[in-house]
Structure formats: structure tokens, C-alpha cells
Amino acid sequence: MRARPRHPRLSLVHLPLRNRMALLIGLAVTATVAVVAGVALGATGIVLGRSIDHQLIQQAYTAAQTIKPKEWGPEWDQGLIVFNFGLPAQVISTDGTPTAPDNQVVMLPVNSADIAVAHGVVSQQLRTVTVGGGRYRVATVPIRIPSVGLGALQLARDMSDVDQTLRDLGLVLLGVGVVGVAGSVLLGRLIARASLKPVDAAAAAAEEVARTQDLSALIPVTGSDEIARLANSLNSMLRALEASRARQRELVDDASHELRTPLTSLRTNIELLLRAEANPARALPAADRDALLRDVDAQIRELSGLVSELVELARDEAPAEDVEPADLTEIVHVAADRVRRRAKAKDVQIVVTAVPSPVDGRPHMLERAVTNLLDNAVKFSPAQGRVHVTVAPGEVVVTDEGPGIAPEDRSRVFNRFYRATSARGLPGSGLGLAIVADAAAAHGGWVRAEEGPAGGALLRLSLPVPPDEAWPSSAGAPSAVQPGAAVPREPSLVPQLREETSVLASPPARPAYRRSWWTRGSGRDL
């Protein structure tokens, strides 16, 4: 099969950048030199031609005043006496017959325009002719000789010297252009090498980072041009990668620490169950066996939740869910219905007070964040307590009746795996509020912990309000919604608040099982 010819433009891609820059500079200079040389030659030819034409016309009129026959008579062919400035000249009669001086060798051609000049129809004529292989510029002017009549005088100038001058000028321009192009290519290579030194330094630094995996080795930045901007961008990328690696390392370390405890407890409890089943003589009491199985089940559930949350946090990428218009009130009601089923064990009521709150967001991510807020409130609420959820435009406030969050812990409860001293005896991974913080940041909002009215915890999730859905102010103009601030609105625009209270029947309370000697390594209570 015959190979296809390689496209000429594709070969430039394989050249080094400095060679391409030098080649492009050389091409640009070549085009510039060619244009300048062409313009110079054309302008010189035009200027010389106009000067020669002006001079030749003046000489022709002057010669016409000096012409006379050698012998006066009625015919032109008796000979002429004319001062022709040493140039070829001849007289044309009205019938087109040329008469030249006796010693002139060159005979100039005659055309209809020259005859028209002889008849006095045309004032003068200029044209270029070729005689004997030479170029001549011919000027034809009218004359009138007494006793002879009308006629015309042709005066010609040899253009060989002008042509030679233009050829010499073209050779000079060609030589200068070749030298200029060669010098521009060399100079362009030097300029390209000097200009690309920062790029070479950046490439060397990037290769060093790739070889050593040391993301702290930043690229040196000099100046404030585009290359410095590129270096700053690469440094920002390296810092982001280093921060991401640090977060991953911290996540792995924390996850290994958090996973070690339930896994150790599970292994201990399962080994105890296996030994008890293998030795019927030392069988566990029924109550202890049931409690141990409940402990294993609870730890497996906590371990599954911890793994799910770790997978959620370990995705260091943009969420796959698309942003779409949603009603924050509907999201809160769906999350509240889900958490109510899990709150039956403590007979905790979840009270939702909401107004329509349009937002642009990812509904599933927001639902998970609200669910985590409610789960956290239910976990710290006392039995038969109440969790209040208030939804305002762009804001969700969850308040519980638990012990609250200490002031020194409020800024850290949203960190991964952080657990306050009062929460270390409760089940959980310390990742729920971290997921809430990530969801808020992904939507351009924020979340913070405050003290509730009754001393419990108050968690406030704030999200940006779409501009076209902003509540009007009392003056009728849209007003910006400040994070955590009340939203002014006219009384007629306030929808009727709807309160949803779910009072669930209290199931038989499950007896709390304290750790015995075989579960003391788990670090958890049931």
C-alpha cells in the first residue's frame, strides 16, 4: 500500500519551540524584506520614469524650435538641421513619412498616435519602444515649418542606463535581504533561547517534581510577564496537589485509626463467640450472648456507615450531580421523614417550620447534608425530646434540646473525625458534620454552630439565594440576603407557615448494655 504524503504543516509540530520561533521570525523578515524591496524598486522606477519623461518633453520642445531644412523647399526629404541634444530624433510628415538627420542610425517607429500629433490633433505623445534590442523612451511633439507645413518631431532616449540602475538596485536589495534574513534567523534563535529560559526552568522544575514526587519544590518566578503567570499557575497547581495529598494522607491516617477500633472490637467479640460455641461447657449466658450479638450488630452498622462516609469524603473531585432549581423546604421534609424513622428508639419529635425557599443546588447532596444535621440533633437529644427545624429563604436552622456544644468546640466540630469530649462516648464516626461542611462549601454557602435558645446546639446552614428568587424589601426593591440575617419582606408576601409535628409512639426501650471484660477494647458503649 502506498504511503500517504506527509502534510508539510505537520512537520513543524515536531520542531523544538525555539527552532519554530526562529523559523517564523525568518519567514516574517523574508516577507517584510520582499515587500520593502518590491516597493523600493517600483518607487525608484516610477520616480526615474517621471523625471526622464519631464526632461525628454522639455528637450523635444526645445529641439522643435531649432529644426530647419538644409535647403528650403516644399518637401521634407531635402535634409534637416536640428539640435537634438545627442539623442535619436526624426521628423514625421502628416502622411507619416519619417525624416532623420544624415548621421543617425536609429530609425524610430511611427504609429497612428504620432501621425495624430503631426496633424495637430494631439498635443504630445510619450511611449516606450524597442529598437534593435534596446528600449527607448520616445517623445513626439508637433512642429510647424514655414513653406513646409505641419509635422511632428520624435526625440528618443535610451533606457539602458535606467534598466541597469534598477538591476543594480535589485541586486543590492537582494543581497541586503539575504543577509537580513539570515541575521534575523540567528537573532530570532538567540531571542527564543533567552525568552524560553524561564520555560526551561519551569520544565526542569516540573520534571524534578515528577522524579522526586516532592510537591513542595516550587518553580522559581521572575518578572511579571506571561511566563511568570504560567509559573505562578503551576505553583498554584502544585500547592493544590500538595494540599490534596496532605488531606488524603490525613484522611488515611484518621480512617485507619477510626477503623482499627471497631475492627478490633468485632474481632474480639467474634472470637469470644467462636470459643463459646466450640466449648459448650463454657457457654455464655443467654443475656450476655444476646448483648454481645447486639454489640456486634451495632458495630457492623457503625463500620458500614463509617466506610460510606469515608468513600464520600475521599472523592476529591467535583460532584457528578447537576445543579438544578430546588425547594429547600421539600428537601428538609424528605430528610425529616427519613430521620423520624430512626428517631423512634428515643421517641424524639422533629418539628419542621418552613416557608418556600428556592435554591440552585444539588438536591441529593443537600438532602444528605440536612439528614446529617438531623441525625446529629437526634443523637444528642434526650429521650422524648424535640428537634426544631426552621427553614427560611436560603437557610436551615436545626435546634436540639441536648447538652449543646462548648464554645471552644464550635469551630472544630465540622473537621473530619473531630469529636468533642462530651461526644466520645456516643456512637458515630465524626464525619457527619464534615460532610455538611463540604456540601455547604460546594454550594457557595457556609455552616456554623451556635448556642440554642434552651441551651442546646443550634446548627445553621446558609445557602445563596438565586437573584430572581430574592425576597423584596419593604421598599419594593430586591434586597441582598446576608448570611445568618433576617430577611425583610412585606407582610402580604409572607406565606403561611406550616408546622409539621410528628409524635411517634415510644417503643420499648432497649436496655443499655455496659461493656464487660470482653468488650472493653472496643471503646464504645451500646
Side-chain angles (χ1 to χ4, degrees):
M1 184 176 178
R2 187 176 180 181
R4 296 178 61 184
R6 194 174 184 181
H7 200 284
R9 288 185 298 178
L10 298 179
S11 59
L12 294 177
V13 179
H14 302 285
L15 290 176
L17 181 57
R18 55 176 54 89
N19 292 344
R20 273 185 282 169
M21 291 180 63
L23 180 60
L24 293 176
I25 291 174
L27 292 176
V29 172
T30 301
T32 304
V33 168
V35 171
V36 170
V39 171
L41 284 175
T44 303
I46 292 173
V47 171
L48 289 178
R50 288 180 178 178
S51 177
I52 289 174
D53 290 346
H54 180 71
Q55 182 182 12
L56 188 60
I57 287 292
Q58 288 183 344
Q59 290 176 340
Y61 277 110
T62 302
Q65 296 175 0
T66 64
I67 191 170
K68 61 181 180 179
K70 291 183 179 178
E71 297 179 4
W72 294 103
E75 301 296 337
W76 289 93
D77 55 359
Q78 297 176 356
L80 297 174
I81 299 175
V82 60
F83 179 72
N84 58 358
F85 300 93
L87 301 176
Q90 66 184 20
V91 176
I92 304 173
S93 63
T94 55
D95 60 358
T97 302
T99 301
D102 296 337
N103 58 349
Q104 181 172 305
V105 179
V106 177
M107 294 299 295
L108 302 176
V110 179
N111 60 9
S112 59
D114 298 327
I115 297 175
V117 174
H119 282 278
V121 179
V122 180
S123 61
Q124 63 184 34
Q125 173 70 18
L126 277 169
R127 63 192 178 99
T128 302
V129 299
T130 302
V131 178
R135 273 193 339 124
Y136 290 86
R137 188 69 172 168
V138 179
T140 305
V141 296
I143 59 175
R144 183 182 183 89
I145 301 178
S147 72
V148 177
L150 297 177
L153 172 66
Q154 286 184 312
L155 190 66
R157 186 187 188 284
D158 190 0
M159 300 293 290
S160 59
D161 57 342
V162 176
D163 295 338
Q164 184 63 38
T165 300
L166 293 177
R167 282 195 296 270
D168 295 342
L169 179 60
L171 291 176
V172 171
L173 292 177
L174 178 62
V176 172
V178 171
V179 174
V181 169
S184 66
V185 171
L186 295 177
L187 184 60
R189 186 172 178 82
L190 295 177
I191 293 175
R193 180 179 300 176
S195 301
L196 294 178
K197 277 186 178 180
V199 177
D200 294 336
E207 292 172 356
E208 183 68 16
V209 170
R211 186 181 64 83
T212 62
Q213 298 296 313
D214 182 13
L215 298 177
S216 61
L218 300 180
I219 299 173
V221 180
T222 56
S224 57
D225 53 3
E226 289 79 2
I227 297 178
R229 181 181 175 186
L230 174 62
N232 286 323
S233 301
L234 292 175
N235 288 337
S236 299
M237 182 184 66
L238 291 176
R239 294 189 188 96
L241 291 175
E242 185 178 13
S244 177
R245 176 182 288 182
R247 289 195 302 269
Q248 290 180 357
R249 187 182 296 111
E250 180 182 359
L251 180 63
V252 171
D253 294 342
D254 294 339
S256 62
H257 175 74
E258 291 292 330
L259 289 172
R260 190 179 297 114
T261 300
L263 288 175
T264 302
S265 177
L266 280 172
R267 184 178 61 185
T268 302
N269 293 339
I270 292 174
E271 288 177 354
L272 179 61
L273 287 172
L274 291 175
R275 285 199 300 268
E277 294 294 332
N279 189 1
R282 300 183 58 184
L284 293 173
D288 290 346
R289 187 175 182 277
D290 292 341
L292 188 61
L293 289 176
R294 287 197 300 271
D295 188 12
V296 171
D297 180 68
Q299 289 174 349
I300 289 177
R301 292 177 183 273
E302 291 183 11
L303 187 61
S304 299
L306 176 61
V307 171
S308 299
E309 292 173 343
L310 284 174
V311 171
E312 182 72 20
L313 289 175
R315 293 174 181 170
D316 195 8
E317 58 184 11
E321 188 179 3
D322 294 332
V323 176
E324 60 184 45
D327 190 351
L328 196 56
T329 300
E330 296 180 2
I331 294 174
V332 170
H333 279 290
V334 172
D337 291 340
R338 177 181 300 177
V339 177
R340 284 190 185 104
R341 292 191 292 268
R342 297 198 287 264
K344 291 180 180 180
K346 298 178 66 175
D347 193 16
V348 174
Q349 302 177 16
I350 299 178
V351 181
V352 178
T353 304
V355 299
S357 177
V359 295
D360 291 336
R362 301 174 176 89
H364 290 90
M365 180 183 289
L366 292 176
E367 181 183 338
R368 180 176 178 83
V370 175
T371 300
N372 288 352
L373 288 177
L374 295 177
D375 281 334
N376 182 79
V378 169
K379 180 172 66 174
F380 288 97
S381 295
Q384 300 181 354
R386 300 182 66 171
V387 174
H388 297 270
V389 185
T390 304
V391 182
E395 189 174 74
V396 178
V397 179
V398 179
T399 308
D400 60 52
E401 298 176 351
I405 303 175
E408 61 273 10
D409 293 330
R410 292 173 187 169
S411 61
R412 295 182 289 178
V413 292
F414 299 101
N415 295 338
R416 297 176 181 179
F417 298 104
Y418 180 80
R419 304 184 70 185
T421 304
S422 59
R424 291 177 182 173
L426 298 175
S429 62
L431 293 175
L433 295 183
I435 293 177
V436 176
D438 286 351
H443 289 80
W446 48 266
V447 62
R448 68 186 180 201
E450 304 174 6
E451 183 179 358
L458 186 150
L459 299 178
R460 188 185 304 272
L461 172 63
S462 180
L463 301 174
V465 178
D468 54 345
E469 298 292 347
W471 291 89
S473 64
S474 58
S479 60
V481 179
Q482 299 296 333
V487 181
R489 51 190 182 269
E490 296 180 0
S492 61
L493 297 176
V494 180
Q496 181 68 31
L497 298 179
R498 59 190 180 96
E499 179 174 320
E500 181 177 347
T501 306
S502 176
V503 181
L504 303 176
S506 175
R510 187 177 64 181
Y513 181 77
R514 291 292 178 185
R515 289 178 295 170
S516 60
W517 61 271
W518 60 79
T519 60
R520 288 174 185 172
S522 65
R524 300 178 184 270
D525 293 336
L526 294 180

